[in-house]
Amino acid sequence: MTVELIDSMGDDHSIARAARVSSGTTGTPERNRGLINMLMRDRHGSPFEAVVLQLRVECPIFVAREFLRHRMASYNEVSGRYQEMQPVFYAPDEHRPLRQTGKPGAYHFEAGTPEQHSLTSTAHKSAAGWSWEHYRWLLKEGVAREVARNVLPLNLYTSFYVTLNLRSLLNFLSLRWAHPDSTVPTFPLAEIEDVAMQIDQFARTVAPDAMAAFDKNGRIAP
Ligand SMILES: Cc1cc2nc3c(=O)[nH]c(=O)nc-3n(C[C@H](O)[C@H](O)[C@H](O)COP(=O)(O)OP(=O)(O)OC[C@H]3O[C@@H](n4cnc5c(N)ncnc54)[C@H](O)[C@@H]3O)c2cc1C
């Protein structure tokens, strides 16, 4: 999974300025930090909408499908109708847990056996190779890209821009990273958690005080 920060608008100061609209005052950085923490703690969410990030994400289609469920964001994704897809496929590495235990809503994952890892790798490679061959075959026979792509699997890579404000981003992080500081449990897919970890780092460069307040208050989105 790859995430790039393309653009951003606003920072911690923008959050504090939005919150102080009635008083018209500008606080010191230290007072702003206290204010931001209070806003996060008491879930006064709208000032956090003053910060906006645009990111470019490269990930398999099955991860993008989960990401695009986050509706409070704007998206532009590459089109398999207007361009040929590239043969880039995801296969879990040996660190990806393979065995699912527990119950719906509270699954736990454990490492697979060497045999399970080997089978998983072989099956991913074989399915990707077979489907890619058929994709190319259809294109060669003059079938439109938008039809030929139907044979491609969910582990094919896609890429998209996502533009979202910090409040939405915190909601995404609260749901997609089972962070040790989270006070509300979540059970995200490992691959989207990887994306969330990278986004968290970018958000920290844009609004460090807001992110520190997010951690301090149990990583609950305001
Ligand atoms: C671990 C996990 C498992 C999941 N499993 C499934 C699954 O099995 N099947 C499935 O379909 N989805 C599943 N989801 C997706 C989940 O239901 C949400 O669609 C997704 O996490 C986006 O969250 P959101 O609605 O808070 O985000 P956004 O869509 O970005 O919305 C942000 C916030 O805006 C408000 N909002 C947005 N739209 C509305 C609306 N229409 N009405 C009222 N308020 C709104 C809500 O407060 C919401 O929290 C799963 C998510 C997680 C994290």
Side-chain angles (χ1 to χ4, degrees):
M1 318 300 136
T2 312
V3 181
E4 280 173 84
L5 177 63
I6 302 296
D7 208 353
S8 69
M9 181 188 84
D11 54 17
D12 288 322
H13 177 71
S14 319
I15 299 167
R17 184 177 54 203
R20 292 187 202 279
V21 59
S22 301
S23 68
T25 55
T26 50
T28 60
E30 196 177 336
R31 286 177 68 87
N32 285 350
R33 249 192 304 282
L35 172 63
I36 287 171
N37 188 60
M38 183 275 282
L39 295 169
M40 190 72 75
R41 186 195 64 209
D42 296 350
R43 302 188 69 218
H44 292 302
S46 59
F48 295 96
E49 296 166 20
V51 176
V52 178
L53 282 80
Q54 186 178 56
L55 303 140
R56 182 171 177 279
V57 181
E58 278 183 41
C59 64
I61 292 169
F62 69 89
V63 177
R65 279 183 63 167
E66 291 201 353
F67 203 127
L68 270 72
R69 295 301 309 282
H70 292 264
R71 295 157 290 178
M72 295 297 115
S74 303
Y75 297 96
N76 292 97
E77 186 179 7
V78 294
S79 166
R81 297 180 70 199
Y82 299 122
Q83 68 166 51
E84 282 183 23
M85 304 307 288
Q86 296 301 306
V88 184
F89 296 90
Y90 169 75
D93 66 17
E94 69 279 12
H95 304 296
R96 202 320 178 175
L98 293 182
R99 286 146 61 100
Q100 181 176 306
T101 57
K103 55 181 185 180
Y107 288 124
H108 296 284
F109 286 83
E110 294 163 8
T113 62
E115 292 74 27
Q116 285 173 325
H117 277 287
S118 170
L119 173 62
T120 302
S121 173
T122 305
H124 276 71
K125 281 184 193 152
S126 150
W130 187 90
S131 60
W132 186 254
E133 217 173 89
H134 285 73
Y135 177 63
R136 297 299 313 166
W137 183 18
L138 289 169
L139 291 178
K140 192 164 149 277
E141 294 302 323
V143 174
R145 290 183 291 263
E146 68 182 38
V147 177
R149 68 170 172 179
N150 295 349
V151 300
L152 294 171
L154 288 177
N155 66 332
L156 184 77
Y157 268 74
T158 183
S159 62
F160 58 90
Y161 288 109
V162 53
T163 308
L164 76 179
N165 66 46
L166 189 61
R167 187 183 192 181
S168 273
L169 187 150
L170 296 176
N171 180 56
F172 174 86
L173 293 180
S174 72
L175 292 166
R176 302 299 184 176
W177 184 358
H179 192 281
D181 291 342
S182 296
T183 47
V184 177
T186 187
F187 301 91
L189 180 78
E191 288 79 4
I192 201 166
E193 188 171 58
D194 181 343
V195 173
M197 287 175 180
Q198 295 185 54
I199 291 179
D200 185 290
Q201 288 307 308
F202 287 121
R204 241 161 253 279
T205 65
V206 172
D209 292 344
M211 293 305 291
F214 180 52
D215 289 343
K216 192 173 167 191
N217 291 283
R219 292 178 68 91
I220 296 168

